[in-house]
Amino acid sequence: MNALELRNVTKRFGEVVANNKVNLSVEAGEILAILGENGSGKTTLMNMISGIYYPDEGEIFVNGEPVTISSPKDAFDYKIGMIHQHFKLVDVFTATENIVLGIDDGKHFNLKEAAKKTAEISEKYGFDIDPKKKVYTMSVSEKQTVEIVKVLYRGADILILDEPTAVLTPQETEKLFNVLRKMKEDGKSIIIITHKMHEVLSVSDRVAILRRGEYINTVKTSETNEAELTEMMVGKKISLNINRSEPVDPVDRLVVKDLNLINSDGVKVLNDINFAARSGEILGIAGIAGSGQRELLESIAGLISPNSGEISYNDPKTEEIVNLREKTPVQIRDLGVRLSFVPEDRLGMGLVGNMDIVDNMMLRSYKKGNSIFLDRQPPKDLAETIIEDLEVVTPGPTTPVRRLSGGNVQKVLVGREIAAAPTVLMAAYPVRGLDINSSYTIYNLLNEQKENGVAVIFVGEDLDVLLELCDRILVIGSGRVTGIVDGRTTTKEEVGLLMTKMDGGNENG
């Protein structure tokens, strides 16, 4: 019998149909992966199961019985718990305090008993958790563990995990998957949403595919492969190869020496950073989230001022060595050193939501000209090129950006920087949250830039991609360079170990 079943579930937001007559089931003791491109309705569907949204049509069954889930509390009553991408924890509380927060079972609050029960759950499934540790001192992986234990503590038998490995190292991901396998053995039903195809194939029993809000099929993982799943997800055959070419005549375009940065709390965020980014090469930057990647790129772009060190730029036009630390962010951009940072808040940082795509192109392309009338044609052409090349799903270039889905906003952000013909392109998390098809479009765009002689610096989260795309990989751990490795010969395990290493490593490359 199915632990959970959806029959003809439909959800509309105004004229947009997010889910259309979706049928889906998950059995007890099974891991079901849900695959789909951006905007295919995966999260909307999970939000209906967990009580955040209410379906417009269709039925939900738990253990064969029809149920009405109109709030997260209803979902918990049916033993359904969801672990969201963005954690909902109180920073100043301990793990145990967060786990019991909001439980209203009429019993008196006993933290000692709660800590004991937390420890029992952790031991049973192999969690690594310190019940007394405060959330603000935890790593991302520890916070996620608290969120999972929180739903287990409340008695959940059906767990939904939304992109659970987005910010984990390979070692942390493997640890999480081992825990999920133990839960499965214990009879729990687990639904996992992920964009990472190799994870789907390694951890799930079956895979359900959604495409543009429609349910396509559910297949046994053991009977499918990456190409077949991608074709079902996208609706056509696509190539999943990154064609990494050999760098041609690489020249040191950007050289960073002994760079140090201390933040306002007195913490050394960057510690003696040394490296060179070369023309015609993709230099990857790997590191656990918050290891200093952001601060490094913002220092190069002139957005923050380091305490000491040198940032030199070899200008291909004049062949002069320019000290970037003496330049303003606008001067640095005009030299051709451009930063495309895809932040969590895509609209807050890079684009103006109420403006259309053409106007957002003009934000970057134009300074105060002589004419009071700006020529709208080049940015309009640029907007149309980006929409076509990156397959931005939009009614047209004059659609306000806030009406696009997150993934499509992201394509506009990255496309705008590439269109500026830079000499150094720093792309930070350019595929975060993008589906596999869009991600490969962007990898190929970065490769084109490399082949045009651009020095590309790529900060990414997926180690498989870093190994396949980059010529060299610079690994940062706690603000230090722990190693520089060759993308063609290194392994995922080597990079993962360097990511968690605390002291400076050897540079080779």
Side-chain angles (χ1 to χ4, degrees), residues 3 27-31 63 79 117 120-127 148-149 151-153 155-159 177-190 205:
E27 294 164 19
E30 175 184 56
I31 299 177
N63 297 325
K79 302 196 170 182
K117 188 174 168 187
E120 282 167 9
I121 292 171
S122 305
E123 206 174 309
K124 183 174 183 181
Y125 298 113
F127 286 110
I148 297 172
V149 174
V151 299
L152 289 171
Y153 191 97
D157 285 334
I158 300 166
L159 288 88
F177 285 176
N178 286 334
V179 166
L180 296 184
R181 290 180 188 114
K182 279 186 185 161
M183 288 188 194
K184 175 178 109 169
E185 283 165 22
D186 192 39
K188 305 280 185 202
S189 306
I190 295 155
D205 298 300

Side-chain angles (χ1 to χ4, degrees), residues 85-99:
Q85 253 178 303
H86 304 292
F87 307 139
K88 297 167 169 56
L89 299 171
V90 181
D91 270 1
V92 294
F93 281 10
T94 63
T96 304
E97 286 165 343
N98 269 286
I99 286 162

Side-chain angles (χ1 to χ4, degrees), residues 251-448:
V251 174
D252 285 358
R253 184 67 63 225
L254 186 81
V255 179
V256 173
K257 272 189 187 155
D258 303 328
L259 198 68
N260 289 286
L261 173 71
I262 297 167
N263 68 12
S264 54
D265 299 328
V267 175
K268 206 164 196 186
V269 187
L270 297 175
N271 195 343
D272 283 336
I273 301 278
N274 289 282
F275 71 92
R278 300 168 186 158
S279 60
E281 176 192 77
I282 298 181
L283 174 70
I285 298 185
I288 298 166
S291 297
Q293 303 94 312
R294 181 187 193 129
E295 290 81 358
L296 175 59
L297 298 193
E298 290 184 346
S299 298
I300 295 168
L303 300 173
I304 53 180
S305 182
N307 295 73
S308 63
E310 296 172 28
I311 304 171
S312 315
Y313 169 66
N314 176 0
D315 191 334
K317 292 192 190 92
T318 62
E319 295 192 356
E320 286 176 10
I321 303 292
V322 182
N323 176 2
L324 291 192
R325 290 203 54 195
E326 291 175 350
K327 303 286 180 192
T328 65
V330 171
Q331 288 169 329
I332 291 170
R333 290 223 357 265
D334 289 346
L335 281 166
V337 179
R338 302 183 78 96
L339 169 60
S340 170
F341 203 111
V342 174
E344 259 89 7
D345 175 13
R346 297 182 180 104
L347 288 177
M349 196 160 162
L351 300 168
V352 179
N354 287 333
M355 286 166 68
D356 66 25
I357 300 176
V358 175
D359 287 335
N360 270 292
M361 294 298 145
M362 293 171 74
L363 280 179
R364 280 287 163 102
S365 312
Y366 291 87
K367 293 282 165 280
K368 290 190 178 100
N370 297 328
S371 163
I372 53 167
F373 299 106
L374 287 172
D375 178 5
R376 289 178 64 85
Q377 197 52 44
K380 185 171 188 292
D381 294 346
L382 170 59
E384 284 171 351
T385 304
I386 287 174
I387 288 167
E388 192 176 331
D389 289 357
L390 293 183
E391 300 181 354
V392 176
V393 181
T394 170
T398 54
T399 302
V401 165
R402 67 182 155 74
R403 286 184 37 202
L404 304 181
S405 78
N408 287 305
V409 166
Q410 197 156 319
K411 293 179 191 176
V412 174
L413 261 176
V414 177
R416 184 176 68 179
E417 295 311 325
I418 289 175
T423 51
V424 177
L425 174 65
M426 298 185 282
Y429 311 112
V431 299
R432 178 179 274 171
L434 285 185
D435 56 68
I436 194 162
N437 194 16
S438 308
S439 299
Y440 275 81
T441 308
I442 287 186
Y443 302 146
N444 291 326
L445 274 172
L446 295 177
N447 256 327
E448 277 172 28

Side-chain angles (χ1 to χ4, degrees), residues 4-5 54 58-69 78 80:
L4 178 76
E5 187 184 353
Y54 190 72
E59 293 176 285
I60 298 176
F61 295 81
V62 174
N63 297 325
E65 299 291 320
V67 297
T68 301
I69 302 174
Y78 294 115
I80 299 168

